[in-house]
Amino acid sequence: MTVNQLPTDQSAGTPETPALTGERADLLEVLAKHRDFLRFTTRDLTDEQAGLRTTKSELCLGGLIKHVTAGERAWVNFILEGPSAMPDFSAMTEEDFARREAQFKMLPGETLAGVLEAYDEVARRTDEVVRTLPDLNASWPLPKAPWFQGETEWSARRVLLHIIAETSQHAGHADIIRESLDGAKTMG
């Protein structure tokens, strides 16, 4: 079938998007599942509750979602642009650390709805990149960071697995924070 022969949506007369299958479908399905677990921890909460620390940790539910959003955005930029899309983590200033710390908090004027909307926007962009990226094996050198010692580059596939792992890990943190807040659980 040539490009001119792609099936069309008869009502709109536009080419249909082919169904995503295989590895990319699997990656997006797992990522969507863990995103849903993370989002679910914020159900029925007020903005104030989303900003509460309920454990010894500095973490709050809204801050966790902000952090996951920022991380996913940065890693997708890395997939597309390489290490120039990320800072040199080994040369961070006090101001850089303060900005990073603010990711974990609900700041004045921020709302849970706004935080979730930003997360949804990043998720849509990530999903589109996964669908359209020509090659999941495409690799870039990692940015400078003390925690990347010994590792030199990551493929787009490795970055996506990292995003899934981070989302899953933080969904677990969020579940503990929510249970400490009002006894609600994601599972069980």
Side-chain angles (χ1 to χ4, degrees), residues 80-135:
L80 298 172
E81 303 167 26
S84 65
M86 299 181 100
D88 176 348
F89 293 102
S90 62
M92 288 180 66
T93 65
E94 285 186 35
E95 185 177 301
D96 295 328
F97 281 112
R99 255 193 316 278
R100 186 167 170 80
E101 186 178 311
Q103 284 181 357
F104 293 95
K105 300 176 183 175
M106 291 286 287
L107 301 175
E110 291 181 329
T111 65
L112 179 56
V115 167
L116 291 170
E117 183 178 319
Y119 189 40
D120 288 345
E121 288 174 21
V122 166
R124 281 190 294 277
R125 178 175 179 244
T126 300
D127 292 355
E128 182 63 20
V129 167
V130 172
R131 280 188 207 90
T132 61
L133 193 68
D135 184 4

Side-chain angles (χ1 to χ4, degrees), residues 33-74:
K33 176 177 144 184
H34 291 283
R35 284 178 182 143
D36 286 347
F37 284 146
L38 179 58
R39 289 179 58 84
F40 191 66
T41 63
T42 65
R43 69 195 177 283
D44 304 322
L45 292 182
T46 66
D47 295 338
E48 180 184 358
Q49 289 171 313
L52 290 176
R53 292 178 43 212
T54 62
T55 67
K56 187 172 178 83
S57 166
E58 292 288 326
L59 301 175
C60 68
L61 292 171
L64 268 176
I65 292 174
K66 284 176 55 180
H67 171 67
V68 171
T69 301
E72 186 170 322
R73 180 184 301 115

